């Protein structure tokens, strides 16, 4: 069997081994190296890069904790935006459904830079939104929407919400409408039927979406790079800057390890929370 | 299919608002790119001036050719790697299949930041830090899971009994592959190629990490442009990218079902 | 009647111009078991769902114990409903499924526990309280669905093809159990099915539907023996149909001439007030046709050849090609040998069992 299966799988597996697994291991190794002035970096086994980050309250607060907060906030807003949309789309069909699905998926395929450009046109100081609001006398001074935390969160929501819609839809479409009817039949109002039947059954989809979107948000560097300012030092952005602008590969590597570790911890926490809420009941073995 | 009719109106209203949010930057970009008065509304007419400027700009043309070469090469390589793997995954049952599948899909699960950094460091250490190879490898690895997903889906779609029926009426192994298997795969391959190409063409995060000097792909070029300039030429270029993406979306949806492909 | 448990009066359901349910009326007396029987798409499930409140009727009215529920939402109706696919909530245990409706009614904890125990023991599910639906077999899920409905002691029980997802052996067992339970609890039941065996064996009365309309409402025996239309005769059991013309309506007997020229006698009054010359259909059940042991002469004695013999064990069914050209199916229960194809035979069509129906537009 193995002799039949291995040859076709080998090229792809080798590519992943050589260009994903090994490089990732290199990152871990590099994180223990030292940067020496004049030299690019030297082989070493030191924890300096870790202590430099973890021992520095400024980094901890303004990068690690800041990234966690922004990622959680953007994820939460994405969920609030996505849930009703998924619910509505699940009830549509035909042309309307196709149009809605295309709109939802457009941000996933259209490049980030293109989308950011559109938001800049809308949000910049003299942009459309400010012109409109000032013309309508909602406020008189232009509001700063871009190149700050607001811009970063808006963009992260814009990119993240579609993923949550898609993964919620997977769950919602598995719910037979008869389950809702059965609840109505034994005396549940629409609201009760939603909260007691539909909502719990969408938890697996919601959880799957949360995991993806939180990880995306937590690691984001392009969004804060494009629409952030000096205060939006998300960890992904710091990694980018250290690696490409400061050429401090050991430090960037250590930051990557820390980022993955923190991400894993947070996802485990979410998993435990959700597990206790609902998943244990749905995943009991046969 | 379900119909939740509670609060139907509120639900519809909210969805409409969200759709507006999703379409807003895209619509505005398209509008500005055709507006003779650039950012001043309402438009007085339609102009293709900005498109002409964008499509004759040397920087952009160079970015386009880089992105085009990169996208085509990355898609071809990724599909070539994925095709035999997809066949093995769909046609054969073996122990550890789920694990192999997860492994092949893993680039989707690794944050691009880390993946790009890892490749960057790796190639720097190998001494190829400033070549074109890291960029190409990055794009290939990035799009390969998508190719694998479309191809396995399109292979799954046909019942092995189609092939058995062909063998039964006397077609040989090769003839069956050519007359039965590939015609079904063809649509899958077209959409797979379209998806890989458009993902590579539009990619920013990987390119910004790995592009060597002189080989700047279009999105990175566009980013540098809008960092310093604010005009409708950028809108025209962005619009061109949007239109291209839309065409790819239609192609992919037609042949593979966009939703199944984009689900993470 | 005002004391009926359900009174359905001229309900309609239109989808665009398509009439899914067209002017359907019937009633169910307290304690009665009534089936809605018909082919798929005949409107039986739509009718049931209108009574449960899942579908709003386009016209007509529905009363439950005299109370007009036509426009009430489903949760205000107090009717039990058992779904075809059971619709058990997958995230709730068996006990929680049963308890859900009771909790909504704000019953005390003790009362809920007692009700769960009672309804699970009635349905033979004691000990399964903490299982999840997916840990149960199809038959057990079916019982939970029933227990869930019974726990609320509804005024009436609606069942939508509840046995259709079970395999045949289990279906027959469950059919019997269900009927016994219903009779014991004197539960007013309206039962939708496309399975005539189920309808005939379980029901006090059967409502036969076709194309959104009621074809006949009758007790099972009447339905089979005196179908009101060709559709009913064809849908329930097997029937020989012969098109022909009513020739004679008289005190002693009626006469039908078939298209082939063959003349058949029927009992007096079989033509049901038709006039000589009317186009009619003559119907005879296969088991009512007699296979004669030898040549005989006389009215309604026909000659033919065996075309096909189908042996079912207890029953032997012959298809006989009559000399006049028609094909006649007949069933024999006591037989010593199976006739070869091509064997010439004589058969008798007893006039008292020949039904004559007007050949109206509805086939």
């Amino acid at each position: 069997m193995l002799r039949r299966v291995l040859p076709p799988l080998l090229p792809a597996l080798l590519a992943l081994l050589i260009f994903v697994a090994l490089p990732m291991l290199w990152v871990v190794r590099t994180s223990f190296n030292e940067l020496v002035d004049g030299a690019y970096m030297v082989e070493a086994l030191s924890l300096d890069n870790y202590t430099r980050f973890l021992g520095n309250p400024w980094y901890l607060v303004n990068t690690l904790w800041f990234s966690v907060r922004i990622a959680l906030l953007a994820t939460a807003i994405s969920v609030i935006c996505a849930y009703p949309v998924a619910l509505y789309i699940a009830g549509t069909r035909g042309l309307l459904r196709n149009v809605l699905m295309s709109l939802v998926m457009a941000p996933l395929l259209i490049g980030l830079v293109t989308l950011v450009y559109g938001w800049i046109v809308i949000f910049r100081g003299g942009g459309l939104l400010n012109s409109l609001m000032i013309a309508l006398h909602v406020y008189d001074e232009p509001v700063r929407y871009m190149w700050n935390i607001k811009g970063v969160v808006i963009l992260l929501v814009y990119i993240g919400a579609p993923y949550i819609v898609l993964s919620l839809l997977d769950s919602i479409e598995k719910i037979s409408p008869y389950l809702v009817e059965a609840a109505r039949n034994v005396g549940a109002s629409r609201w009760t039927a939603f909260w007691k039947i539909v909502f719990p059954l969408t938890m697996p989809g919601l959880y799957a979406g949360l995991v993806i979107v939180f990880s995306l948000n937590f690691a984001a560097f392009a969004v804060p790079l494009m629409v952030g300012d000096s205060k939006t030092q998300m960890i992904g952005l710091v990694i980018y800057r250290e690696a490409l602008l400061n050429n401090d590969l050991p430090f960037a590597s250590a930051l990557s390890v820390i980022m993955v570790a923190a991400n894993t911890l947070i996802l485990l926490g979410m998993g435990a929370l959700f597990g206790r809420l609902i998943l244990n009941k749905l995943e009991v073995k046969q | 299919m379900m119909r939740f009719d509670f609060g139907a109106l509120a639900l519809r209203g909210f969805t409409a608002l969200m759709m507006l949010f999703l379409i807003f930057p895209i619509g505005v970009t398209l509008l500005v790119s055709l507006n003779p008065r650039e950012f001043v509304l309402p438009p007085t007419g339609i102009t293709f001036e900005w498109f002409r400027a964008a499509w004759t700009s040397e920087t952009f043309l160079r970015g386009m050719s880089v992105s085009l070469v990169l996208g085509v090469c990355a898609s071809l390589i990724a599909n070539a790697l994925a095709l035999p793997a997809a066949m093995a995954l769909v046609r054969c049952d073996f122990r550890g299949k789920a694990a192999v599948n997860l492994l092949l899909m893993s680039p989707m699960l690794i944050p691009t930041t880390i993946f790009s950094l890892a490749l960057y460091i790796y190639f720097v250490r190998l001494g190829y830090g400033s070549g074109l190879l890291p960029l190409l490898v990055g794009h290939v690895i990035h799009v390969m899971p998508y190719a694998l997903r479309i191809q396995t889906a399109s292979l799954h779609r046909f019942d092995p009994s189609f092939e058995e029926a062909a063998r039964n009426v006397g077609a040989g192994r090769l003839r069956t592959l050519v007359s039965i298997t590939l015609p079904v795969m063809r649509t899958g391959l077209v959409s797979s190629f379209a998806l890989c190409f458009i993902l590579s063409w539009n990619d920013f995060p990987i390119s910004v990490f790995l592009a060597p000097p002189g080989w700047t792909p279009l999105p990175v070029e566009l980013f540098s442009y809008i960092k310093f300039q604010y005009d409708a030429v950028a809108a025209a270029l962005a619009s061109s990218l949007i239109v291209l993406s839309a065409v790819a979306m239609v192609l992919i949806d037609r042949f593979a079902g966009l939703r199944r492909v984009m689900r993470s | 009647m005002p004391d009926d448990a359900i009174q359905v009066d001229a309900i309609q359901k239109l989808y665009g111009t398509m009439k899914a349910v067209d002017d359907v009326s019937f009633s169910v007396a307290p304690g009665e078991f009534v089936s809605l029987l018909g082919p798929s798409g005949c409107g039986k499930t739509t009718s049931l769902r209108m009574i449960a409140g899942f579908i709003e009727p386009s016209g007509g009215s529905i009363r439950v114990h005299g109370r007009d529920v036509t426009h009430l939402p489903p949760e205000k109706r107090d009717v039990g409903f058992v779904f075809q696919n059971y619709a058990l909530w997958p995230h709730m245990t068996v006990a929680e499924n049963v308890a859900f409706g009771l909790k909504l009614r704000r019953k005390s904890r003790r009362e809920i526990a007692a009700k769960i125990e009672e309804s699970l023991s009635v349905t033979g599910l004691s000990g399964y309280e903490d299982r999840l639906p997916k840990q149960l077999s199809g038959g057990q899920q079916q019982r939970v669905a029933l227990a869930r409905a019974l726990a609320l002691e509804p005024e009436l029980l609606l069942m939508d093809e509840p046995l259709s997802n079970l395999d045949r052996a289990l279906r027959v067992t469950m059919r019997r159990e269900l009927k016994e339970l219903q009779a014991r609890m004197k539960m007013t039941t309206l039962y939708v099915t496309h399975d005539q065996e189920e309808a005939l064996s379980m029901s006090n009365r059967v409502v036969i539907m076709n194309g959104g309309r009621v074809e006949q409402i009758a007790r099972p025996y009447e339905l089979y023996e005196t179908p009101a239309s060709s559709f009913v005769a064809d849908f329930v059991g097997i029937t020989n149909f012969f098109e022909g013309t009513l020739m004679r309506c008289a005190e002693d007997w009626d006469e039908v001439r078939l298209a082939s020229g063959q003349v058949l006698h029927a009992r007096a009054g079989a033509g049901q007030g038709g006039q000589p010359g009317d186009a009619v259909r003559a119907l005879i059940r296969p088991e009512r046709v007699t296979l004669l042991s030898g040549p005989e002469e006389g009215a309604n004695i026909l000659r033919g050849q065996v075309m096909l013999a189908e042996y079912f064990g207890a029953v032997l069914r012959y298809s006989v090609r009559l000399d006049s050209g028609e094909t006649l199916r007949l069933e024999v229960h006591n037989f010593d040998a199976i006739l070869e194809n091509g064997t010439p035979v004589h058969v008798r069509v007893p006039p008292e069992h020949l039904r004559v129906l007007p050949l109206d537009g509805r086939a």
Side-chain angles (χ1 to χ4, degrees), chain A residues 22 25 52 72 92 121 150 212 274 281 283:
Chain A
L22 281 182
L25 287 176
R52 185 174 149 203
L72 281 178
T92 59
V121 173
K150 263 183 246 163
I212 296 161
F274 266 78
K281 279 198 178 169
E283 284 170 0

Side-chain angles (χ1 to χ4, degrees), chain B residues 3-22:
Chain B
R3 246 193 90 72
F4 296 94
D5 52 1
F6 55 85
L9 209 65
L11 207 56
R12 189 183 299 186
F14 186 88
T15 305
L17 269 177
M18 280 304 298
M19 292 299 144
L20 214 60
F21 173 63
L22 289 175

Side-chain angles (χ1 to χ4, degrees), chain A residues 176 178-190 192-193 196-197 200-201 278 281-286, chain C residues 49 52 54 73-75 79-81 83 85 87-92 96 100-101 104-105 132 134-135 148 152:
Chain A
S176 154
Y178 295 122
L179 296 183
V180 177
E181 285 183 354
R184 301 289 304 277
N185 177 250
V186 299
S189 65
R190 293 169 178 194
T192 315
K196 296 287 183 182
I197 308 297
L201 290 173
I278 190 76
K281 279 198 178 169
L282 291 173
E283 284 170 0
V284 170
K285 286 199 203 109
Q286 291 284 344
Chain C
R49 290 167 61 78
F54 303 140
E75 65 268 27
V79 299
F81 198 100
F83 290 81
N85 57 6
L88 301 179
W89 302 303
H91 57 307
M92 297 185 188
E96 285 168 336
F100 186 62
L104 291 170
R105 282 167 180 66
L132 285 172
K134 68 178 174 191
Q135 298 169 302
R148 182 172 73 182
L152 299 175

Side-chain angles (χ1 to χ4, degrees), chain B residues 79 82-83 86-87 90-91 146-160 162-163 180-193 252 254-257 260-261:
Chain B
N79 276 290
L83 184 59
M87 290 231 179
V90 174
R91 294 299 165 75
Y146 293 91
L148 191 69
R149 182 181 279 175
I150 295 195
Q151 288 175 6
T152 45
S154 79
L155 274 171
H156 267 304
R157 207 174 321 164
F158 87 60
D159 195 327
F162 291 170
E163 283 183 341
I180 308 294
T181 315
L182 282 184
V184 180
M185 282 296 287
R186 197 172 49 201
T187 56
L189 286 173
V190 168
S191 42
S192 171
F193 189 87
I252 299 159
R254 189 71 197 278
F255 292 134
R260 192 176 38 210
V261 169

Side-chain angles (χ1 to χ4, degrees), chain C residues 62-79:
Chain C
I62 298 162
R63 285 169 182 281
V64 174
H65 286 291
R67 182 171 70 127
D68 188 338
V69 301
T70 316
H71 300 290
L72 282 185
E75 65 268 27
K76 299 263 158 55
R77 294 197 181 200
D78 193 25
V79 299

Side-chain angles (χ1 to χ4, degrees), chain A residues 58-202:
Chain A
W58 191 90
Y59 271 134
L60 287 182
V61 173
N62 291 300
T63 295
L64 189 59
W65 177 232
F66 177 78
S67 301
V68 173
R69 268 169 41 217
I70 291 291
L72 281 178
L73 178 67
T75 309
I77 298 176
S78 300
V79 169
I80 294 168
C81 291
Y83 202 104
V85 172
L87 215 51
Y88 180 76
I89 291 181
T92 59
R93 58 190 70 190
L95 182 66
L96 177 62
R97 186 187 176 86
N98 284 344
V99 169
L100 294 176
M101 290 302 287
S102 305
L103 286 178
V104 166
M105 285 184 291
L108 300 181
L109 273 183
I110 295 175
L112 192 57
V113 188
T114 314
L115 298 170
V116 165
Y117 178 81
W119 282 114
I120 289 175
V121 173
I122 296 163
F123 275 156
R124 77 198 305 274
L128 286 182
L129 191 61
N130 274 322
S131 316
L132 187 71
M133 287 303 176
I134 291 170
L136 293 174
H137 296 289
V138 178
Y139 48 73
D140 297 325
E141 291 292 311
V143 171
R144 205 176 160 82
Y145 293 105
M146 278 282 134
W147 298 295
N148 56 16
I149 294 181
K150 263 183 246 163
V152 172
V153 172
I154 290 171
L155 256 294
L156 289 179
V157 169
Y158 186 77
I159 300 162
Y163 283 107
I164 298 192
V165 171
L166 291 185
S167 97
L168 273 174
L169 264 178
D170 285 345
S171 265
I172 297 176
E173 283 174 347
K174 277 193 213 126
I175 304 174
S176 154
Y178 295 122
L179 296 183
V180 177
E181 285 183 354
R184 301 289 304 277
N185 177 250
V186 299
S189 65
R190 293 169 178 194
W191 266 117
T192 315
F194 173 74
W195 284 113
K196 296 287 183 182
I197 308 297
V198 176
F199 188 69
L201 290 173
T202 56

Side-chain angles (χ1 to χ4, degrees), chain C residues 36-277:
Chain C
L36 295 180
L37 174 67
S40 54
C42 71
K44 56 190 192 298
T45 293
T46 308
S47 302
L48 195 75
R49 290 167 61 78
M50 286 196 279
I51 295 169
F54 303 140
I55 300 178
E56 178 104 352
S58 314
S61 73
I62 298 162
R63 285 169 182 281
V64 174
H65 286 291
R67 182 171 70 127
D68 188 338
V69 301
T70 316
H71 300 290
L72 282 185
E75 65 268 27
K76 299 263 158 55
R77 294 197 181 200
D78 193 25
V79 299
F81 198 100
V82 176
F83 290 81
Q84 184 174 9
N85 57 6
Y86 322 134
L88 301 179
W89 302 303
H91 57 307
M92 297 185 188
T93 62
V94 168
E96 285 168 336
N97 263 280
V98 176
F100 186 62
L102 296 163
K103 282 185 191 152
L104 291 170
R105 282 167 180 66
R106 306 198 181 287
K107 303 280 193 210
S108 73
R109 195 172 291 195
R110 189 186 304 168
E111 212 173 337
I112 292 176
K115 266 284 154 217
I116 292 174
E117 201 193 324
E118 185 194 331
S119 57
L120 290 184
S121 89
V122 162
T123 50
L125 279 171
S126 302
Y128 288 90
E129 286 81 358
D130 297 325
R131 300 279 190 99
L132 285 172
K134 68 178 174 191
Q135 298 169 302
L136 301 177
S137 71
Q140 288 167 333
Q141 294 186 23
Q142 168 59 57
R143 288 163 201 261
V144 178
L146 187 61
R148 182 172 73 182
L150 292 179
L152 299 175
E153 300 176 10
E155 289 172 337
L156 60 99
L157 185 61
L158 306 179
M159 306 181 98
D160 184 11
E161 310 217 19
L163 305 182
S164 64
N165 284 343
L166 304 177
D167 62 47
R168 192 179 150 73
L170 189 55
R171 200 157 61 216
V172 173
T173 319
M174 285 295 290
R175 186 206 289 168
R176 246 177 247 140
E177 278 184 29
L178 205 57
K179 178 59 193 169
E180 276 170 23
L181 188 64
Q182 183 270 337
R184 187 150 39 99
M185 299 179 72
K186 298 192 171 53
M187 174 63 71
T188 312
T189 303
L190 185 59
Y191 187 99
V192 160
T193 180
H194 66 269
D195 181 335
Q196 45 165 310
E197 255 183 50
E198 266 175 34
L200 294 182
S201 64
M202 297 171 85
S203 317
N204 301 114
R205 285 187 303 144
V206 178
V207 177
I208 288 237
M209 293 184 65
N210 178 37
R213 304 183 68 95
V214 173
E215 288 275 344
Q216 187 173 6
I217 303 178
R219 284 197 289 265
Y221 180 80
E222 297 165 351
L223 199 68
Y224 188 81
E225 297 297 337
T226 55
S229 66
S230 314
F231 172 82
V232 176
D234 195 30
F235 189 76
V236 181
I238 298 172
T239 298
N240 291 297
F241 286 93
F242 301 109
E243 298 205 352
T245 315
L246 192 60
M247 298 303 289
R248 174 177 191 271
C249 303
E251 303 265 320
D252 39 2
W253 73 79
D254 289 5
E255 250 177 51
V256 177
R257 194 177 68 198
L258 307 188
S260 61
Q262 175 72 49
V263 172
L264 288 177
H265 290 197
R267 72 184 160 74
Q272 293 174 8
Q275 297 297 314

